[in-house]
Amino acid sequence: MPSFNQSRKNVVRLVFFTVIIILIARLFSLQVITSKYKILAEDQGTFRKVVYPDRGLIFDRKKRTILQNTIIYDLMVVPSKIKGTDTATLCKILDIDSAEFHKRIITAILKNRSYRPSVFEALLSDEKMAKINENLYKFAPGYYLQERPVRDYPYDAAGNILGYLSEVDTNFLKKHEGEGYVSGDYAGKTGLENSYEKVLMGQRGIEYLKRDNKNRITGKLENGIYDTMAVAGQNLYSSIDIELQELGEKLMQNKVGAVVAIDPKTGGILAMVSAPTYKPRLLTGAERKKHYVDLLLDPRIPFLNRTVGAYYAPGSTFKTLQALVGLSEGVVDANTTVVCRGAFYGCGRPMKCLDPGVWALKGAITHSCNTYFAVVMQKVINNPKYPGVDSSINHWAHYMNAFGLGKKLGVDVPSEKPGKIPTAATYNKIYGEGHWNFCTFRSVSIGQGEVQTTPLQVANEMAYIANKGYYITPHVIDSIEGGDKFGLLEQYKVRHTALNIPDSIFEAVHDGMQGVMESGTGRYAKVPGIVVCGKTGTVENAYKGVKQKDHAFFAAFAPRDNPKIAIAVICENAGFGSSSAAPIASLMIEKYLKDSIEGKERKAKVEQLSNLDLMPLRIKVAMRTQDSLRHRKDTAYLIEKGFIKIIADTIGIEENEETDVAELKRENNKKEKQKDSVKVNAILPQQERRTEADSVKRD
């Protein structure tokens, strides 16, 4: 063979082997070293589906389900896969325009990247769900339906206790980083849903499904060996009596105020009514946002949980505690008498009293004598065993703190306020050191002035008196199915016994409280066959400097021997406690202890009280005014004037970039731009904010 041909043959062989080596190296790189194309192939042929767990259920004290789950669907989008889908049909089904479509896609990309699924439309209505399901093949692979368990309320009651869910925002995700939340998830925003979120949420699962070349699901990948099961949230067992709660909400219709009932022996909350309230079913499902806005703008502020978040002067209900302090300090005993000539004259300007006479402790509590309790507190403050008024009032405040006042009790419902008990520092700040004495704060002796309480605190003080010297922190949840893994319930097992007051002192106070129900201001609110110890209260208050009709207060426990319920009822601007608050408490006590309301007369009383309209006039005026504004100006006007910001601040909603309130703002800003209006950005300054809750804080 010529050497030339031999050389050419070697070159061909070399080229041939070089190409083979390059191909082998490339295949090795693609299949072994580089995972990019493997991932793309698997992504094309498989579908990773998040399986949301059922949230834990909540039961009442009789094991009745008061919060459960139902299934609804979200429409999910993967922005990187929507090319070629039928966008026009989708927009028509969802009733949105192309501008809104592009806004949602951009938002999804910014929030969650283009290759990750995001919620395109949450909580689809049945009608939209049916239409999307019918046309889903037109939207694949960019869109798919995601099952989501949502809350269902068999009794549609206890909204302020149970709370509601809301989509997590960026701040929430940062705060709870590493806890398993992703954009599009829902978490508890208020109530028990918030307090026990880590228990109720459960753990998400993942399901891998196979897809064919037309993106249709054909079954599980490898028979599900890569799937992870969703773990349902833990169930909660509460102390709530849902029928008692329903009765309380019915009785408080057309009223502003609160009812709190506690089991004194356990601290378990039996009922917790904030009025006006809302039906929790309104805040789940497809119409959630519409109802949320309506409730947010309601001048009655139904989102404000007045049981723990509103301040009231306790009025004459406070006299029971003043009696405990006076007897314990030894400045009076059960037989010490005080002469009342129609007013307390010890500090210049008379402080009037309704029932003149000569009263010992029992009669003073029964007839609610202002003079008697002013004298008692005066003796406590001027007690010579203390070096000065500063130390004596601080010692008095120590008693009140031991009774559970002036501090947060630690209830498992969010937004609890601490209340206010004045100390020497309080008056030094107001009047200056050395420029005050008992006469400066004599109104505190009858539960007015600088003392402020929440309805929960007043109910708890009744539990303290019923137990003769101890209370257990009030709470709604008694136990957690599967165990208290996070130690959330430990604090609700501790008895608080900061003082050592003899039983005989409590018995003396019980005598007076029983007298209230037998011959005093509570006699028209007796419970047939049950010995009740109670105390009415009439609380002076003002709104924006203008005196208003008195608040009606009533607090009690029953039965006297072996108490099973302690209760507090407040009706704003309702007049005497004996005419509204006491009868409501009477029916609640009967319902709980007898499991029913007995007799035609008592049943008629339920209807009479539930139909009684005690809504304060100022709120009725505010409702008419706001209805007029909404009809004339729409919601954007209310945002511009700061109403939404004010209400959000009042009820404790954090307004950040991703909240429902902020979303409402953005939507209305868009509408305003379309109308060539000025961009909405006017928010009232803090010092100009005035809402109905302000009156609560001043009352």
Side-chain angles (χ1 to χ4, degrees):
M1 177 180 293
S3 59
F4 174 77
N5 291 337
Q6 183 67 35
S7 175
R8 188 169 64 176
K9 181 180 179 181
N10 290 335
V11 170
V12 171
R13 284 176 178 174
L14 179 61
V15 171
F16 180 76
F17 284 117
T18 301
V19 171
I20 290 175
I21 290 170
I22 291 172
L23 288 174
I24 292 172
R26 183 59 177 156
L27 288 172
F28 180 81
S29 173
L30 290 174
Q31 296 185 30
V32 179
I33 298 174
T34 304
S35 59
K36 174 183 176 182
Y37 294 97
K38 178 183 177 182
I39 291 172
L40 289 174
E42 288 179 350
D43 188 51
Q44 182 66 28
T46 62
F47 174 61
R48 182 180 180 273
K49 181 180 179 182
V50 175
V51 181
Y52 285 94
D54 287 340
R55 284 180 74 85
L57 311 182
I58 300 181
F59 301 89
D60 85 336
R61 61 184 293 270
K62 294 183 178 179
K63 306 298 187 290
R64 294 170 292 205
T65 308
I66 59 177
L67 181 56
Q68 61 188 21
N69 298 304
T70 189
I71 295 296
I72 202 166
Y73 289 84
D74 293 341
L75 180 62
M76 308 296 292
V77 63
V78 181
S80 63
K81 297 182 179 181
I82 64 172
K83 186 176 181 180
T85 56
D86 191 344
T87 301
T89 300
L90 181 63
C91 290
K92 185 176 180 181
I93 292 172
L94 298 179
D95 193 25
I96 61 174
D97 56 21
S98 59
E100 175 64 20
F101 170 83
H102 288 111
K103 173 190 169 185
R104 293 188 186 186
I105 294 298
I106 292 170
T107 300
I109 294 171
L110 292 175
K111 274 187 177 183
N112 218 17
R113 306 291 180 86
S114 64
Y115 53 86
R116 291 177 180 165
S118 300
V119 177
F120 189 78
E121 177 145 339
L123 308 177
L124 295 168
S125 65
D126 291 342
E127 181 182 1
K128 288 181 180 178
M129 169 65 190
K131 290 180 179 178
I132 288 174
N133 216 10
E134 183 180 349
N135 294 277
L136 194 57
Y137 69 95
K138 298 179 181 179
F139 313 135
Y143 302 87
Y144 65 92
L145 293 170
Q146 174 73 62
E147 287 184 4
R148 185 185 296 278
V150 296
R151 293 313 222 175
D152 185 49
Y153 306 86
Y155 292 89
D156 208 15
N160 289 103
I161 304 174
L162 299 173
Y164 61 88
L165 305 178
S166 182
E167 187 175 350
V168 300
D169 54 41
T170 52
N171 285 346
F172 183 96
L173 292 173
K174 289 176 184 176
K175 184 178 179 181
H176 298 273
E177 189 175 359
E179 296 181 22
Y181 294 99
V182 296
S183 181
D185 282 356
Y186 281 69
K189 190 168 187 180
T190 62
L192 297 178
E193 294 275 31
N194 177 276
S195 299
Y196 291 92
E197 167 65 20
K198 62 171 64 175
V199 173
L200 292 168
M201 65 176 287
Q203 184 176 331
R204 290 194 314 270
I206 302 294
E207 194 175 58
Y208 293 93
L209 305 172
K210 293 185 294 185
R211 292 193 293 202
D212 62 15
N213 60 349
K214 294 185 178 179
N215 290 299
R216 295 174 298 195
I217 301 297
T218 59
K220 288 197 170 188
L221 179 66
E222 300 292 340
N223 294 318
I225 63 173
Y226 301 112
D227 296 352
T228 56
M229 295 289 292
V231 179
Q234 293 174 265
N235 297 333
L236 306 181
Y237 292 89
S238 76
S239 54
I240 293 294
D241 185 318
I242 193 60
E243 290 184 353
L244 187 67
Q245 179 74 23
E246 286 184 312
L247 175 63
E249 292 186 11
K250 180 176 182 178
L251 292 171
M252 290 298 289
Q253 287 179 156
N254 302 311
K255 303 168 187 68
V256 176
V259 179
V260 180
I262 299 173
D263 182 340
K265 287 184 173 56
T266 67
I269 294 173
L270 306 171
M272 198 178 211
V273 179
S274 178
T277 187
Y278 62 92
K279 297 296 184 183
R281 199 169 288 166
L282 294 175
L283 296 181
T284 188
E287 297 296 312
R288 176 196 175 278
K289 184 169 286 189
K290 174 184 178 298
H291 294 308
Y292 177 85
V293 173
D294 290 340
L295 290 168
L296 191 66
L297 296 176
D298 190 332
R300 296 170 297 179
I301 319 180
F303 281 144
L304 174 63
N305 189 348
R306 290 173 168 85
T307 64
V308 295
Y311 283 159
Y312 301 94
S316 292
T317 62
F318 196 63
K319 293 172 181 175
T320 56
L321 301 183
Q322 296 285 42
L324 289 177
V325 176
L327 293 170
S328 182
E329 285 291 286
V331 297
V332 294
D333 60 34
N335 298 316
T336 302
T337 59
V338 172
V339 178
C340 176
R341 295 183 173 86
F344 174 70
Y345 294 98
C347 292
R349 183 181 176 185
M351 186 168 68
K352 292 183 179 179
C353 196
L354 294 177
D355 288 329
V358 180
W359 305 115
L361 178 67
K362 179 178 178 180
I365 294 176
T366 297
H367 296 278
S368 200
C369 178
N370 288 345
T371 298
Y372 180 92
F373 291 99
V375 169
V376 169
M377 188 171 184
Q378 187 177 38
K379 289 184 176 183
V380 169
I381 297 302
N382 295 334
N383 193 334
K385 76 176 184 179
Y386 299 109
V389 67
D390 291 56
S391 57
S392 61
I393 194 171
N394 285 341
H395 192 70
W396 171 86
H398 172 70
Y399 273 98
M400 294 303 156
N401 292 153
F403 299 150
L405 305 184
K407 62 182 181 181
K408 291 184 180 182
L409 289 167
V411 66
D412 53 355
V413 176
S415 305
E416 182 189 9
K417 298 284 181 65
K420 298 176 182 177
I421 292 294
T423 63
T426 305
Y427 296 111
N428 286 338
K429 184 176 181 180
I430 296 173
Y431 302 105
E433 191 171 349
H435 292 85
W436 54 273
N437 55 33
F438 166 74
C439 290
T440 310
F441 55 85
R442 65 176 183 171
S443 59
V444 170
S445 66
I446 59 171
Q448 296 273 180
E450 290 76 26
V451 60
Q452 298 281 289
T453 58
T454 66
L456 176 69
Q457 290 175 329
V458 177
N460 186 64
E461 80 182 45
M462 289 295 109
Y464 179 88
I465 295 172
N467 291 333
K468 298 180 182 178
Y470 77 87
Y471 70 88
I472 297 174
T473 302
H475 56 279
V476 176
I477 299 304
D478 284 336
S479 64
I480 301 173
E481 189 175 289
D484 183 12
K485 300 174 183 177
F486 302 102
L488 300 176
L489 305 182
E490 291 300 317
Q491 60 182 313
Y492 306 125
K493 300 174 183 177
V494 180
R495 282 191 178 194
H496 298 274
T497 54
L499 303 172
N500 186 21
I501 301 176
D503 285 1
S504 58
I505 289 179
F506 286 101
E507 288 291 348
V509 173
H510 290 188
D511 287 342
M513 295 176 70
Q514 184 175 338
V516 169
M517 304 305 294
E518 292 179 347
S519 59
T521 51
R523 61 188 179 276
Y524 299 114
K526 292 181 180 179
V527 180
I530 297 173
V531 178
V532 178
C533 293
K535 188 71 192 76
T536 57
T538 304
V539 182
E540 294 182 358
N541 66 97
Y543 177 66
K544 292 185 177 179
V546 179
K547 191 179 186 309
Q548 303 292 304
K549 189 175 181 180
D550 294 338
H551 293 330
F553 229 137
F554 182 77
F557 65 87
R560 176 172 177 172
D561 296 327
N562 191 24
K564 292 181 172 63
I565 182 172
I567 191 168
V569 180
I570 173 76
C571 293
E572 290 188 28
N573 306 126
F576 292 107
S578 58
S579 61
S580 55
I584 289 172
S586 171
L587 292 166
M588 296 279 284
I589 290 170
E590 180 178 359
K591 169 64 178 173
Y592 181 69
L593 295 180
K594 296 185 176 182
D595 205 34
S596 64
I597 304 296
E598 299 177 349
K600 290 183 179 179
E601 185 178 343
R602 298 287 286 175
K603 290 178 179 176
K605 192 70 174 176
V606 171
E607 299 305 319
Q608 177 189 344
L609 284 169
S610 63
N611 292 325
L612 180 63
D613 187 354
L614 296 175
M615 189 66 63
L617 178 61
R618 68 179 185 276
I619 293 183
K620 291 182 177 180
V621 171
M623 291 172 67
R624 288 196 294 268
T625 300
Q626 192 169 95
D627 284 345
S628 175
L629 288 173
R630 293 189 74 182
H631 289 147
R632 290 190 297 111
K633 301 283 189 178
D634 79 19
T635 307
Y637 177 82
L638 298 176
I639 292 174
E640 183 179 1
K641 293 303 179 184
F643 290 125
I644 290 194
K645 175 77 171 157
I646 292 169
I647 296 169
D649 289 345
T650 300
I651 62 179
I653 291 177
E654 296 181 3
E655 186 188 359
N656 54 52
E657 186 182 0
E658 305 298 336
T659 59
D660 292 322
V661 177
E663 177 63 24
L664 183 62
K665 271 185 162 185
R666 289 196 296 271
E667 289 181 3
N668 280 281
N669 283 342
K670 179 184 174 183
K671 292 178 183 178
E672 291 297 288
K673 285 180 181 179
Q674 291 173 344
K675 296 175 184 177
D676 295 322
S677 298
V678 179
K679 182 179 180 182
V680 178
N681 57 10
I683 299 296
L684 292 179
Q686 183 74 30
Q687 62 269 26
E688 293 181 12
R689 294 175 182 170
R690 294 292 184 269
T691 70
E692 300 304 329
D694 291 334
S695 70
V696 172
K697 293 178 181 178
R698 286 193 296 271
D699 287 339

